[in-house]
Amino acid sequence: MQYEGEHLLIGQIGHFLVLLSLVSAILATISFYISSQQKDLILSNQWLKLGRISFWMQALTVIGVFITLYLVIYFHYFEYKYAHQHSKRSLDIQYLMSCFWEGQEGSFMLWTFWQGMLGLVLMKTARQWEAPVMSVISLAQVFLCSFLIGIYFFDVRIGTSPFVLMRNEFPDAPIFKDPSYLLKYLTDGNGLNILLQNYWMVIHPPILFLGFASSIVPFAYAVAGLLKKDFGGWVKPALPWTLFCGGVLGLGIMMGAAWAYESLTFGGYWAWDPVENASMVPWLLIVAGLHTMLVYKSTGYSLKSSFFFIPLAYLLVLY
């Protein structure tokens, strides 16, 4: 059946970019890891160069996916499930970005975007730690990208694509028997939750997710210390990143609290749901890890505590 009014090309571009991002992340992970384990300096540099190219490709494709999904929302292509569920024609333009990260797929994409940007910075600044640290960052990108591919292996769907069509998601719905369904029935979307139509929701989630994403950097340095058997050397280069993570994540939590006390009617931030309450726990662990790292740098003690707090903080961010 030939459907009227659909914009299929932009969704196909989005699907292609997600798959290319996944493949690039896998290649970057393999290349950085081999480089970190390679004893021959020439071979190590060759693998490192391939890893850099692959990660640049991965970061650029993530930006491409980000832009593609935003265009789907901005131009109100309601044939796509994500646009139909989270946006509406009457929304003010500033809240279209809030539509982007209201859904799970958009949140994963925001997280992937920030990790990609942090990875590009690390490739310039990590120096001798670059290969093992970037192998951890790239592996995390592999998992995040897999949450967005939305393809089936036999009867199991891997991830959920933000570019899935409404008629593919609900094939038995009667309206999709009509080739003009888009012009007759899907003329508007469900819109954004009224609680999220607030200026804090435009700026709070990107800051919070930058804090979440940056928690991988000290974790990656700790893993790199184990891989290189340099059990204390990772602390000094990881310290600024730990401070950055704690500062940004704390700022994001405070912005969320400001939104809650302004928008909610039943007690504010800490009376909200477990997700908001749980965001405090990784921050406390990051701050604890920052203190033990400073103790180790000054006295040579508390290294084991740092190895405990920093990985646990990242694992609880994932949780």
Side-chain angles (χ1 to χ4, degrees):
M1 184 182 296
Q2 188 70 33
Y3 293 98
E4 298 177 21
E6 289 185 333
H7 304 83
L8 300 180
L9 179 60
I10 193 167
Q12 292 165 352
I13 292 172
H15 277 297
F16 172 75
L17 290 175
V18 170
L19 289 171
L20 183 57
S21 179
L22 176 63
V23 172
S24 301
I26 292 172
L27 182 58
T29 303
I30 294 170
S31 301
F32 281 126
Y33 179 76
I34 294 176
S35 175
S36 69
Q37 299 299 304
Q38 187 60 248
K39 302 299 183 183
D40 187 294
L41 185 60
I42 295 176
L43 287 175
S44 177
N45 287 334
Q46 289 175 344
W47 281 106
L48 184 63
K49 184 177 180 180
L50 179 59
R52 288 170 177 168
I53 294 171
S54 302
F55 196 87
W56 264 102
M57 177 67 72
Q58 200 276 330
L60 291 174
T61 51
V62 167
I63 294 172
V65 175
F66 200 99
I67 293 171
T68 304
L69 182 59
Y70 181 74
L71 291 176
V72 167
I73 295 170
Y74 180 82
F75 289 113
H76 308 299
Y77 293 156
F78 296 124
E79 61 268 38
Y80 292 97
K81 179 185 173 185
Y82 201 85
H84 184 265
Q85 283 191 332
H86 302 294
S87 68
K88 198 169 188 172
R89 293 186 186 276
S90 59
L91 282 175
D92 293 339
I93 190 167
Q94 67 266 30
Y95 296 136
L96 293 180
M97 287 303 291
S98 300
C99 298
F100 188 99
W101 39 72
E102 183 189 28
Q104 188 180 66
E105 299 91 335
S107 297
F108 279 133
M109 199 177 301
L110 182 60
W111 195 341
T112 310
F113 168 79
W114 279 130
Q115 276 195 175
M117 298 304 100
L118 293 171
L120 295 181
V121 174
L122 283 164
M123 286 196 297
K124 293 291 186 181
T125 60
R127 298 180 183 177
Q128 73 268 24
W129 292 94
E130 179 184 352
V133 166
M134 287 305 301
S135 61
V136 177
I137 304 286
S138 301
L139 182 61
Q141 292 291 76
V142 171
F143 285 105
L144 285 175
C145 290
S146 70
F147 297 151
L148 298 171
I149 57 176
I151 61 175
Y152 283 88
F153 285 99
F154 302 104
D155 293 330
V156 178
R157 184 166 71 176
I158 307 298
T160 304
S161 172
F163 302 104
V164 66
L165 293 167
M166 288 286 288
R167 59 180 170 85
N168 289 339
E169 193 72 3
F170 308 103
D172 298 326
I175 65 170
F176 300 122
K177 302 293 191 293
D178 187 342
S180 302
Y181 80 92
L182 190 60
L183 306 176
K184 293 180 181 178
Y185 306 111
L186 296 187
T187 56
D188 208 351
N190 293 336
L192 188 66
N193 187 319
I194 191 65
L195 293 175
L196 303 182
Q197 294 182 37
N198 181 286
Y199 61 92
W200 283 115
M201 277 294 122
V202 180
I203 55 178
H204 155 62
I207 299 299
L208 189 68
F209 271 86
L210 176 57
F212 287 154
S214 62
S215 67
I216 196 176
V217 181
F219 169 75
Y221 271 105
V223 173
L226 295 174
L227 289 175
K228 294 183 67 171
K229 294 183 172 54
D230 187 356
F231 300 115
W234 65 275
V235 172
K236 183 177 179 181
L239 258 174
W241 287 102
T242 309
L243 185 62
F244 174 81
C245 175
V248 173
L249 186 55
L251 177 61
I253 291 171
M254 288 190 289
M255 294 170 88
W259 160 77
Y261 281 101
E262 187 172 308
S263 296
L264 303 183
T265 58
F266 50 88
Y269 190 82
W270 304 114
W272 192 224
D273 61 35
V275 174
E276 276 66 33
N277 294 328
S279 66
M280 190 73 172
V281 179
W283 181 81
L284 291 170
L285 289 167
I286 283 288
V287 172
L290 177 64
H291 282 76
T292 57
M293 291 164 72
L294 286 170
V295 169
Y296 174 75
K297 185 180 177 184
S298 300
T299 68
Y301 294 100
S302 295
L303 181 60
K304 290 181 180 179
S305 298
S306 301
F307 269 116
F308 173 76
F309 286 125
I310 295 301
L312 185 60
Y314 178 66
L315 293 176
L316 287 176
V317 163
L318 296 181
Y319 175 76

